[in-house]
């Protein structure tokens, strides 16, 4: 009975997940991919983990594996029953736990000062219209998979924000449908954040060697952003 209760209680860490036969660990990695690459451990019961595994028979990759930028391919299954690993081609990451007072321009200058001026071509730090503080996360598209590895090693648990804070940066993958420069440009070119009435510092940045470039024009009429509370640019 005690063993059964132990298996049914929530697993609160990757180590505890091993007590569920690794099933909760599967749900953790699945949640990482489905939830915009969130790297935080979320409490999940063994039963819920088993259901998640059943819904996702192929294990999505962990955000980063042993410092190497690899992922599970969609190629054929090998004779051993596992899918071959291939070089990851994703280039868009999320920076989380960014201090709320940091502006997009300040973040841009920080990335450049840390030696990444030519390493990324897209940056967007969403801002809450109600408070004019950032949302705590930013999207960064690196110019190559190799640059992603260097960026992650440098900024994961980064703390030198230039403002008084104890926040440590968490670097994780953006969602698969938000991967790459083209996907990000297409995502935002018709977004309300590109409305002419908004100041430039609230809009996503397209860059070339650190120099801002003109964003592609919209393909349809852009609606003004909603002015209500919790609205974000």
């Amino acid at each position: 009975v005690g063993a059964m209760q132990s298996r049914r209680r929530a697993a609160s860490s990757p180590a505890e997940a091993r007590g569920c036969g690794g099933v909760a660990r599967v749900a953790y990695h699945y949640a990482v991919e489905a939830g915009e690459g969130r790297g935080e451990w979320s409490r999940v019961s063994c039963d819920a983990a088993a259901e998640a595994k059943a819904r996702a028979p192929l294990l999505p990759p962990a955000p980063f594996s042993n410092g190497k930028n690899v992922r599970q391919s969609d190629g054929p299954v090998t004779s051993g029953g596992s899918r071959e690993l291939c070089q990851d081609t994703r280039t868009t990451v999320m920076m989380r736990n960014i201090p709320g007072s940091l502006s997009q321009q300040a973040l841009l200058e920080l990335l450049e000062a840390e030696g990444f001026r030519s390493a990324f071509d897209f940056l967007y730090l969403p801002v809450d219209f109600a408070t004019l503080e950032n949302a705590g996360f930013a999207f960064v598209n690196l110019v190559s998979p190799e640059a992603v590895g260097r960026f992650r090693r440098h900024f994961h648990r980064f703390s030198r924000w230039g403002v008084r804070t104890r926040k440590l940066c968490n670097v994780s993958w953006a969602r698969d449908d938000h991967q790459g420069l083209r996907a990000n440009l297409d995502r935002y070119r018709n977004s309300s954040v590109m409305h002419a009435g908004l100041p430039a510092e609230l809009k996503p940045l397209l860059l070339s060697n650190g120099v801002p470039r003109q964003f592609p024009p919209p393909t349809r009429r852009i609606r003004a952003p909603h002015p209500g509370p919790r609205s974000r640019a």
Side-chain angles (χ1 to χ4, degrees):
V1 175
M4 183 177 297
Q5 291 176 341
S6 176
R7 287 177 62 83
R8 286 181 177 275
R9 74 180 180 83
S12 60
S13 71
E16 288 190 42
R18 288 193 288 271
C20 300
V23 178
R25 195 152 31 102
V26 171
Y28 167 61
H29 290 312
Y30 181 74
V32 164
E33 187 73 3
E36 294 190 351
R38 286 190 295 272
E40 303 87 13
W41 176 264
S42 55
R43 297 181 67 86
V44 55
S45 70
C46 297
D47 292 342
E51 294 176 4
K53 183 181 181 181
R55 292 194 301 269
L58 294 181
L59 175 64
F64 295 89
S65 175
N66 299 325
K68 296 180 180 179
N69 198 19
V70 295
R71 72 180 299 182
Q72 206 166 21
S73 75
D74 295 326
V77 178
T78 65
S79 58
S82 62
R83 293 185 182 272
E84 296 180 353
L85 290 177
C86 63
Q87 181 67 29
D88 202 322
T89 59
R90 290 178 292 183
T91 55
T92 305
V93 300
M94 293 184 71
M95 298 181 71
R96 297 180 179 274
N97 294 333
I98 296 174
S101 61
L102 212 66
S103 67
Q104 182 166 268
Q105 181 61 33
L107 179 59
L108 173 64
E109 293 173 358
L110 174 66
L111 297 183
E112 292 179 347
E114 293 295 324
F116 289 85
R117 177 180 175 85
S118 303
F120 63 101
D121 50 22
F122 178 86
L123 174 66
Y124 180 44
L125 179 65
V127 170
D128 190 315
F129 286 143
T131 64
L132 292 183
E133 288 194 346
N134 71 62
F137 60 87
F139 296 96
V140 184
N141 186 68
L142 285 304
V143 297
S144 69
E146 292 74 22
V148 172
R150 186 168 70 92
F151 188 90
R152 190 265 173 177
R153 289 189 295 272
H154 188 89
F155 284 107
H156 194 63
R157 300 189 64 80
F158 179 88
S159 62
R160 300 187 302 274
W161 300 108
V163 296
R164 294 190 63 180
T165 181
R166 294 183 178 180
K167 288 189 173 184
L168 299 178
C169 184
N170 180 294
V171 179
S172 56
W173 292 119
R175 284 171 31 177
D176 277 355
D177 56 346
H178 299 160
Q179 284 296 325
L181 178 61
R182 175 52 56 189
N184 282 286
L185 296 181
D186 290 343
R187 180 186 182 189
Y188 290 108
R189 65 190 304 178
N190 294 316
S191 169
S192 60
V193 302
M194 299 302 295
H195 191 269
L198 286 178
E201 56 266 26
L202 298 184
K203 299 179 179 181
L205 283 174
L206 172 63
L207 304 134
S208 177
N209 293 320
V211 179
R213 295 171 51 194
Q214 185 174 0
F215 219 81
T219 58
R220 61 175 181 265
R221 179 176 174 271
I222 296 180
R223 295 182 178 181
H226 194 278
R230 300 178 65 86
S231 295
R232 287 178 181 170

